[in-house]
Amino acid sequence: MEHSDPGSLGRGDDLPSTRCGYVAIIGRPNVGKSTLLNHLVGEKIAAASRKAQTTRHRIRGLITHGPDQLVLVDTPGVDPSTPKLLGKVLNRTAQAAVDDVDAVVLVVEAGRWEPADEALAQRLENSNRPVVLVINKVDRLKDKSALLPYIDQVRGRLPFHEVVPLSALKGQNVEPLVDTLMQLLPPGPHLFPDDEITDRSQRFRVTEVIREQLLERLGQEVPYATSVEVEQWEDSGTALHIGAVIWVEREGQKAIVVGKGGRMIKGVGSGARLELEQMLERKVMLKLWVKLRDGWQDDLDGIRRMGIDVES
């Protein structure tokens, strides 16, 4: 696809110069990074869940306001305690993202400052990039009067460019964050078409919707042994026919995903189909299969085959 050259806007004396840059959203697992990204762009482009390390990719979201284009990079939650190779790969992916951006958003949970938050703050101290601290989930604070003392406490952890308390889930105080980030962008032409919200394909977004259903409906362990791959994509004119494989690591996990009498996989498919029809704005016929790929989370080639970003 050929991109237009919005940078030409800056060639006239009366027209504004364009700005464009990358901003990484980082934080420990389950602080709401993907929820924040989805709200900022206005659509679901990343799976969001209450469970840790939901994100497995560096997912780019795009916000274009006039001459300014913000490229947001959602990263996996950093979890130093993870035993699986997949978890270690996700940690490297998140940490490497900091080296490739113009600014960083560090997301923490209101009222909490964990050792993982401190470790990330210390890493960012030497990054030579402006860091905006987002204090998420302020709507969940039982004692609202505790917010200001908490802000004063965390403000001293790092010379943050700005501290923005908000609720990504409810969309509270999100616009000031966008305004702050736009001011940090370097001059330059837009890197993506102005009407796009992500560089990820529709197929990828379909896998994220299905994976989110798995995360919400299954127990604590099984969802992390699953991956989703779209194998069929056919437009009949009246409907979009999608066939997707849910990969698991063990035979017992396959039985759990299918469920008694097929109830679990039917529920996953029904929930995903309704969301996909809303997202794609058309009728969707969704078929799911469950297949076994033994030990893929501890095999680098297996992780790559699942389409997960791997940093060397």
Side-chain angles (χ1 to χ4, degrees):
M1 178 187 295
E2 293 185 3
H3 293 180
S4 59
D5 180 16
S8 61
L9 290 174
R11 293 170 190 157
D13 293 337
D14 298 328
L15 294 176
S17 298
T18 59
R19 292 183 296 186
C20 184
Y22 287 81
V23 175
I25 305 174
I26 73 166
R28 60 178 169 82
N30 199 28
V31 292
K33 299 180 297 296
S34 295
T35 301
L36 177 60
L37 175 70
N38 290 338
H39 186 87
L40 287 170
V41 301
E43 287 188 30
K44 180 174 292 182
I45 60 176
S49 170
R50 295 182 296 273
K51 297 182 173 68
Q53 282 202 315
T54 298
T55 300
R56 289 178 173 172
H57 307 263
R58 287 192 294 187
I59 300 171
R60 285 190 282 265
L62 310 171
I63 303 174
T64 304
H65 287 175
D68 300 329
Q69 185 173 79
L70 177 60
V71 186
L72 294 163
V73 183
D74 185 22
T75 61
V78 177
D79 180 10
S81 65
T82 181
K84 294 280 189 179
L85 177 61
L86 173 61
K88 294 178 176 22
V89 166
L90 297 182
N91 286 344
R92 288 199 298 268
T93 297
Q95 291 164 0
V98 175
D99 300 327
D100 300 329
V101 295
D102 301 290
V104 177
V105 171
L106 173 60
V107 184
V108 299
E109 185 175 345
R112 298 179 62 182
W113 186 271
E114 303 289 339
D117 300 320
E118 183 65 31
L120 283 169
Q122 289 178 2
R123 171 174 167 76
L124 292 173
E125 192 169 12
N126 301 316
S127 68
N128 297 318
R129 288 162 177 79
V131 180
V132 175
L133 179 67
V134 163
I135 301 173
N136 191 23
K137 304 185 183 181
V138 295
D139 55 305
R140 295 189 183 180
L141 272 180
K142 293 181 180 178
D143 181 7
K144 304 302 182 186
S145 66
L147 181 59
L148 288 179
Y150 175 77
I151 292 175
D152 290 338
Q153 174 194 347
V154 298
R155 200 184 286 273
R157 300 285 185 174
L158 196 72
F160 295 110
H161 176 82
E162 190 69 73
V163 177
V164 183
L166 55 78
S167 169
L169 185 64
K170 296 191 174 180
Q172 297 172 350
N173 207 40
V174 171
E175 282 307 313
L177 173 63
V178 176
D179 295 339
T180 296
L181 296 178
M182 290 292 187
Q183 295 303 314
L184 296 175
L185 301 180
H190 294 183
L191 299 174
F192 300 92
D194 291 357
D195 58 350
E196 286 190 1
I197 62 168
T198 182
D199 65 337
R200 290 291 188 174
S201 68
Q202 282 190 336
R203 287 187 180 221
F204 174 84
R205 294 176 67 189
V206 166
T207 66
E208 290 291 276
V209 168
I210 297 169
R211 200 161 61 83
E212 185 177 273
Q213 287 288 323
L214 290 166
L215 285 160
E216 290 302 316
R217 291 170 183 267
L218 296 175
Q220 288 296 318
E221 298 300 327
V222 175
Y224 300 102
T226 64
S227 185
V228 179
E229 180 182 8
V230 172
E231 286 194 341
Q232 177 191 1
W233 188 281
E234 193 174 313
D235 191 341
S236 66
T238 58
L240 187 60
H241 297 259
I242 300 172
V245 173
I246 301 169
W247 292 100
V248 296
E249 285 192 305
R250 298 193 300 272
E251 195 66 41
Q253 294 166 346
K254 182 176 180 179
I256 293 172
V257 173
V258 172
K260 187 175 181 180
R263 283 197 292 268
M264 177 60 72
I265 196 168
K266 287 177 184 176
V268 169
S270 177
R273 180 182 58 79
L274 290 173
E275 190 165 342
L276 290 173
E277 288 184 336
Q278 185 177 18
M279 183 180 82
L280 300 173
E281 297 182 335
R282 60 176 312 178
K283 185 174 178 59
V284 171
M285 304 296 290
L286 179 64
K287 186 174 182 180
L288 301 177
W289 302 269
V290 184
K291 294 183 180 180
L292 182 67
R293 184 169 282 164
D294 186 43
W296 71 268
Q297 288 190 88
D298 278 314
D299 175 58
L300 198 57
D301 288 337
I303 292 170
R304 287 194 179 102
R305 282 197 300 271
M306 295 299 183
I308 296 171
D309 305 325
V310 175
E311 292 290 332
S312 56

